[in-house]
């Protein structure tokens, strides 16, 4: 594999991984929840290779992630006080344009899913954790609060609220509608390194926290379904 081939295109603009849990199972999806887009296989879903873990108060265990046509079905699910977390740290280095500069960047996608708002400790490099009540969260990077960082709060309806954390990395927001939400953060770290034999100048982290709100006012309708990208010929 050549150096130039490894400098791939960036992860699809606006895309992230997130976790959902139904009565039957839990799964990882890749796409844009606010646009009702879930990528498929064959297609852009094949670009990601997430791993998953179940975190409990007594420890953690890895989960198998079996790829289907629409996502990755997990071999476990989360309960009260627990979390599902997923990461993909194997995406190739890509060229990120910042003003007139091109920065070789190593991306990491991550996600956490919870079924309640009990306080959790951060474990992901860029992590968003609930802090004891609905709507109260903390954003951390490598375990330290990330101040004045942008946070996107997005329900299934596609409505989006853009907020910033305070000096302690805290975010307090209302959650007016029932249904699935995710809280998304992006952070660029100007720390060089190497991935797959390719040097990079900075690292990029995108993390989503997902959860379901059970009660609230009648939600807006879902946005139209966005079809997944077709595989390249």
């Amino acid at each position: 594999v050549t150096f130039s081939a490894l400098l791939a295109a960036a992860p699809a603009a606006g895309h992230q991984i997130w976790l959902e849990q139904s009565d039957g199972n839990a799964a990882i999806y890749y796409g844009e929840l606010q646009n009702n887009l879930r990528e498929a296989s064959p297609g852009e879903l094949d670009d990601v290779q997430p791993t998953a873990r179940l975190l409990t108060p007594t420890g953690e265990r890895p989960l198998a992630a079996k790829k289907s046509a629409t996502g990755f079905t997990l071999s476990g699910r989360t309960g009260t006080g627990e979390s599902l977390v997923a990461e993909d740290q194997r995406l190739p280095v890509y060229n990120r344009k910042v003003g007139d500069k091109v920065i070789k960047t190593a991306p990491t996608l991550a996600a956490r899913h919870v079924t309640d708002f009990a306080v959790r400790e951060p474990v992901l490099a860029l992590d968003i954790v609930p802090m004891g009540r609905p709507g109260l969260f903390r954003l951390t990077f490598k375990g330290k609060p990330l101040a004045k960082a942008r946070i996107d709060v997005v329900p299934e309806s596609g409505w989006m609220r853009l907020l910033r954390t305070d000096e302690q990395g805290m975010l307090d927001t209302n959650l007016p509608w029932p249904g699935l939400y995710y809280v998304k953060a992006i952070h660029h770290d100007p720390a060089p390194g190497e991935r797959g034999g390719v040097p990079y100048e900075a690292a990029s982290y995108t993390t989503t926290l997902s959860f379901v709100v059970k009660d609230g006012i009648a939600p807006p309708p879902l946005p139209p379904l966005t079809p997944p990208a077709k595989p390249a010929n």
Side-chain angles (χ1 to χ4, degrees):
V1 178
T2 66
F3 182 89
S4 59
L6 283 169
L7 286 178
H15 277 41
Q16 62 275 322
I17 60 171
W18 73 91
L19 288 147
E20 292 185 30
Q21 183 164 286
S22 64
D23 292 338
N25 55 41
I28 303 168
Y29 295 96
Y30 177 59
E32 299 176 17
L33 180 61
Q34 73 272 24
N35 293 321
N36 200 8
L37 166 61
R38 290 167 170 79
E39 296 292 2
S41 176
E44 291 194 8
L45 182 64
D46 300 322
D47 294 341
V48 295
Q49 303 177 63
T51 59
R53 293 174 286 160
L54 174 64
L55 308 180
T56 75
T58 58
E60 65 176 67
R61 66 179 173 90
L63 299 176
K66 183 178 180 181
K67 186 165 67 174
S68 68
T70 57
F72 297 83
T73 302
L74 301 182
S75 60
R77 47 188 288 113
T78 184
T80 301
E82 300 176 341
S83 295
L84 290 174
V85 296
E87 296 177 273
D88 188 349
Q89 303 180 63
R90 293 172 289 186
L91 291 161
V93 173
Y94 72 98
N95 288 325
R96 178 169 59 96
K97 191 169 183 181
V98 181
D100 295 330
K101 294 183 63 178
V102 173
I103 300 174
K104 295 179 177 66
T105 303
T108 294
L109 302 179
R112 181 190 284 263
H113 181 79
V114 297
T115 59
D116 64 272
F117 296 97
V119 176
R120 269 83 165 176
E121 292 298 319
V123 297
L124 301 167
L126 180 67
D127 211 345
I128 308 165
V129 292
M131 292 300 292
R133 64 171 172 79
L136 186 65
F137 308 101
R138 170 168 280 164
L139 175 65
T140 62
F141 181 63
K142 296 184 177 178
K144 297 181 179 180
L146 199 55
K148 304 301 181 183
R150 172 175 158 171
I151 294 279
D152 299 348
V153 180
V154 185
E156 291 176 279
S157 64
W159 166 91
M160 180 185 294
R161 190 176 186 193
L162 309 182
L163 302 169
R164 288 196 177 273
T165 58
D166 66 14
E167 293 291 348
Q168 288 73 46
M170 300 291 288
L171 171 76
D172 196 352
T173 182
N174 60 333
L175 305 169
W177 301 302
L180 177 69
Y181 282 76
Y182 77 70
V183 180
K184 172 185 171 184
I186 299 174
H187 180 64
H188 298 292
D189 181 26
E194 185 177 291
R195 177 176 292 180
V198 178
Y200 59 82
E201 301 165 277
S204 174
Y205 299 85
T206 302
T207 295
T208 62
L209 168 69
S210 59
F211 51 87
V212 172
V213 171
K214 295 181 179 179
D215 301 311
I217 63 175
L222 292 177
L225 179 68
T226 301
K230 294 181 179 179
N233 293 329

